[in-house]
Amino acid sequence: MLVTQQPVFRNFWYPVVPLDHLSPTKPFAFELLQEAIVIWLDEAGQPAAAPDRCCHRSAALSLGTVKDGCITCAYHGWQFDREGTCQKVPQLQDKTMIPKTYRIPSYHCTERYGYVWVCLGEPLQPIPEIPEASDAGHRVIHEFYEPWNCAGLRVMENELDLAHPTFVHTTTFGSEEHPIPDSLAVEETDYGLKIRATLGVVNPELQQKNLQMDEGQTVRHLDMDWFMPFTCCLRIHYPNGLTHMVVNTMTPIQDGRSQMVQFCVRNDTEAQTAAADAIAFDRQVTLEDKTILETTDDDVPLNAKYEQHMMTDKPGLLIRRRIAALLKEHNETEQTRHCD
């Protein structure tokens, strides 16, 4: 499946940039589902989004500035508000003379979890709900915001694949003694999937520091959610009561390129575990995954016959079936390079 060739994916929310990356005077350019968009802060300091193209002579609006909450085109100075309405044309003395046709499209745009989320179409589902992120007993640690050269669907399957840690995460937590999970239960939900599992792991020195424990071996109790189409939330529960949550969204840029947005949520304090240490360990884990995933085919086949499978692939196969059903529901056929 080629994600940019399936219009239905325009109807989901994606995080596109950390809110603190935005300037009150300078717009921000991004590519979402192969479409150039521009993001800026309106007069209330809230993010707004539109195609990165002026309706006058098609110049990139991201080259311009932001003034009084309006994005100003660098070519002729036309200004547009968050709804796309032209508020100023310097070449016209009277604002009432601006034709109603002087406007640009606008996109759904809001802030959540410290990121700007954008939906190019009409949202089919809300932004994934992560209750712990606003709970006083937890803290949010922003980790990674970077492009990966792979399909988001591959990463989602990898997040829920409990057979790969033994072989991929050899320097972090993978245990040779536990090549498969001790238990695995999968439940379909209205938003995607819920997975509960237990997995034996090892704990190198840095991880022991993060977990506030001196054990080299332990069991991870996993409570995982997949939110259609490309967000996973992994709640990792440890025997000492610590919960380390990893929230990961792969925002589709192009078919073979995604923006990896990841933050973690923990029920401890900075005094117990420094955020920098938690990030450092998760950095090792993500780089081990990235090395493998960037070698995979970005055209992920929804039809199971094109790849071979084993019992631990059940979550991934259910993801593919749910996406295939989504395409069918919206009268779309799978766009793919695979041939019968």
Side-chain angles (χ1 to χ4, degrees), residues 27-281:
F28 179 87
F30 192 82
E31 185 179 3
L32 178 60
L33 284 165
Q34 223 166 32
E35 181 161 333
I37 68 173
V38 62
I39 302 161
W40 73 97
L41 297 175
D42 67 12
E43 68 280 4
Q46 297 301 307
D52 194 7
R53 183 176 293 273
C54 184
C55 63
H56 177 219
R57 287 296 181 269
S58 76
L61 291 169
S62 58
L63 295 177
T65 58
V66 180
K67 185 175 182 181
D68 299 325
C70 290
I71 190 166
T72 304
C73 182
Y75 199 1
H76 295 94
W78 291 22
Q79 294 183 357
F80 304 91
D81 64 17
R82 68 171 298 117
E83 304 301 327
T85 303
C86 187
Q87 296 292 337
K88 181 177 181 180
V89 176
Q91 296 78 18
L92 297 176
Q93 297 271 332
D94 187 350
K95 181 179 178 179
T96 62
M97 296 175 62
I98 301 176
K100 292 184 178 180
T101 56
Y102 284 20
R103 62 177 301 108
I104 59 174
S106 62
Y107 297 130
H108 296 283
C109 183
T110 192
E111 181 274 335
R112 194 78 180 271
Y113 311 125
Y115 296 89
V116 176
W117 294 68
V118 173
C119 178
L120 300 178
E122 292 303 315
L124 292 175
Q125 290 188 354
I127 293 171
E129 184 65 30
I130 313 295
E132 294 90 341
S134 57
D135 180 80
H138 294 74
R139 57 176 172 146
V140 175
I141 301 173
H142 296 284
E143 293 193 318
F144 314 121
Y145 173 76
E146 62 193 21
W148 282 24
N149 293 320
C150 64
L153 183 50
R154 292 287 187 192
V155 180
M156 295 298 98
E157 292 186 338
N158 179 77
E159 296 274 18
L160 307 180
D161 172 10
L162 297 182
H164 82 279
T166 293
F167 305 96
V168 176
H169 298 299
T170 56
T171 69
T172 49
F173 67 93
S175 169
E176 292 185 4
E177 298 176 4
H178 297 87
I180 61 173
D182 297 326
S183 66
L184 177 65
V186 186
E187 173 189 350
E188 294 199 52
T189 67
D190 57 346
Y191 58 80
L193 297 178
K194 177 171 283 293
I195 297 93
R196 293 182 176 87
T198 56
L199 178 68
V201 298
V202 300
N203 293 314
E205 184 177 351
L206 177 57
Q207 182 67 332
Q208 292 178 35
K209 184 177 181 181
N210 290 336
L211 299 177
Q212 306 132 42
M213 58 195 296
D214 298 322
E215 298 180 24
Q217 302 271 348
T218 191
V219 174
R220 284 187 174 188
H221 298 276
L222 303 164
D223 181 1
M224 305 180 285
D225 290 290
W226 167 64
F227 297 88
M228 294 182 67
F230 307 124
T231 295
C232 268
C233 175
L234 280 63
R235 293 174 176 86
I236 307 170
H237 306 291
Y238 290 96
N240 65 351
L242 175 71
T243 295
H244 178 85
M245 296 174 53
V246 175
V247 182
N248 178 293
T249 298
M250 298 304 289
T251 297
I253 298 173
Q254 300 172 352
D255 289 320
R257 191 169 174 83
S258 307
Q259 189 76 7
M260 195 265 244
V261 178
Q262 180 171 308
F263 61 93
C264 76
V265 184
R266 293 170 62 101
N267 63 343
D268 65 354
T269 66
E270 181 71 16
Q272 292 172 301
T273 303
D277 289 336
I279 293 171
F281 182 79

Side-chain angles (χ1 to χ4, degrees), residues 290-309:
K290 185 173 185 282
T291 298
I292 295 291
L293 290 168
E294 288 195 328
T295 70
T296 60
D297 188 351
D298 60 281
D299 187 5
V300 185
L302 301 183
N303 190 322
K305 72 179 183 180
Y306 290 109
E307 293 181 338
Q308 304 306 307
H309 314 282

